[in-house]
Amino acid sequence: MTVTDEALDHARPGADRGTDPAGARVAAALARDLDTGFEALYEAYRGAVFSTALRLCGRWAEAEDLSAEAFLRAYRALCGYGPERIAELRPRAWLLTILTNVWRNSLRTAARRPPPGPLEDAPDPPDPGEEVEDTATRHETGRELAGLLAELPHAQRAAVVLRHVTDLPVAEIATVLSLPEGTVKSHISRGLARLRALRTEQRTEQHTEQHIEQRTEQRTERRTTPLRPDPGADPGSGRFDQRGGTR
């Protein structure tokens, strides 16, 4: 069974599309004309697919590859579906299932390769109207989030990303991951608890490092501050005022 077949099985026909406002419109467009409908599919879900991919893998270039592969597999699969089958699709759940399966396959492939570089290029997708200061803050936040998410087990990471980045309801996450809703809730809860613990640990370490740096700077300043003579003292007495040393 291919990745796309698995996605179709999980995106159950006739299910409620109320949580995906574009779903019915996109499915109908695909059923009428594949090429035109696929443009609508891409425009409706490219942001959700890329953001999900970025938080799953933590690297911008890899997220672009995962997204492109997911849409390519989706198009190839749609070429083999009839209009009725397409009309019954839940496009968002179907696409994200393909994406998460492609990501899992990439993890298995990556396990046989040298480890990748550090997670340092994973900001959120840019907002053209955003101020420079906000962009810088978001970049740092994105980098921190990428590092924290990378510490989670894969199942927890996927559940947390789909719930709190892609903003899917639990029922749709269960469909995407092919898990019971109770298991999804457990993965989300444990993943968030782990993220909080990791963030607290990280900030404690940062605070400790900053404290050490400040103490080091203070010692350096004391050693390098020149001693100033007491103006009222005998030039040969060797006495100094309190700002410059001891009498």
Side-chain angles (χ1 to χ4, degrees):
M1 179 178 288
T2 67
V3 169
T4 338
D5 291 334
E6 291 177 4
L8 185 61
D9 289 342
H10 298 158
R12 296 181 293 275
D16 178 24
R17 294 194 185 101
T19 58
D20 178 14
R25 173 180 59 80
V26 170
L30 286 166
R32 287 193 301 270
D33 180 81
L34 178 58
D35 291 335
T36 303
F38 192 79
E39 290 180 11
L41 177 83
Y42 179 77
E43 290 300 324
Y45 301 112
R46 62 177 180 175
V49 169
F50 180 75
S51 295
T52 301
L54 181 61
R55 292 304 170 215
L56 288 174
C57 70
R59 294 175 178 81
W60 192 281
E62 187 177 346
E64 290 178 333
D65 291 342
L66 291 175
S67 300
E69 181 66 18
F71 277 109
L72 177 61
R73 293 191 183 208
Y75 184 81
R76 287 174 176 170
L78 288 168
C79 288
Y81 297 165
E84 292 184 1
R85 191 178 188 184
I86 291 175
E88 294 178 334
L89 277 178
R90 297 172 62 195
R92 183 172 67 179
W94 180 66
L95 264 177
L96 291 175
T97 303
I98 294 173
L99 173 67
T100 53
N101 287 337
V102 169
W103 170 61
R104 288 178 181 133
N105 290 344
S106 73
L107 292 175
R108 287 190 285 269
T109 302
R112 300 189 292 269
R113 295 176 180 170
L119 299 175
E120 58 183 14
D121 293 318
D124 294 318
D127 179 355
E130 190 174 51
E131 296 294 334
V132 174
E133 294 83 355
D134 295 335
T135 301
T137 301
R138 177 178 49 78
H139 181 85
E140 292 304 316
T141 303
R143 181 184 302 176
E144 178 186 15
L145 178 59
L148 294 175
L149 285 170
E151 297 294 326
L152 294 183
H154 297 155
Q156 292 180 11
R157 190 193 315 177
V160 169
V161 167
L162 290 171
R163 182 69 189 97
H164 293 284
V165 175
T166 319
D167 200 27
L168 265 59
V170 170
E172 192 167 353
I173 298 171
T175 297
V176 171
L177 299 180
S178 190
L179 293 172
E181 289 188 24
T183 303
V184 169
K185 291 178 180 177
S186 176
H187 284 332
I188 293 171
S189 177
R190 292 180 180 180
L192 290 176
R194 178 61 177 154
L195 285 176
R196 292 188 189 102
L198 287 168
R199 185 175 60 180
T200 300
E201 179 182 338
Q202 184 183 74
R203 291 182 176 177
T204 300
E205 291 177 353
Q206 290 173 348
H207 178 74
T208 301
E209 290 175 359
Q210 290 173 357
H211 180 69
I212 293 173
E213 289 177 0
Q214 289 174 356
R215 294 291 299 273
T216 303
E217 289 175 359
Q218 290 171 357
R219 293 193 186 99
T220 303
E221 289 177 358
R222 284 198 296 267
R223 285 197 298 266
T224 57
T225 300
L227 299 180
R228 288 172 291 184
D230 185 346
D234 181 350
S237 65
R239 293 189 303 168
F240 298 90
D241 65 14
Q242 292 180 353
R243 293 171 298 174
T246 58
R247 292 179 180 268

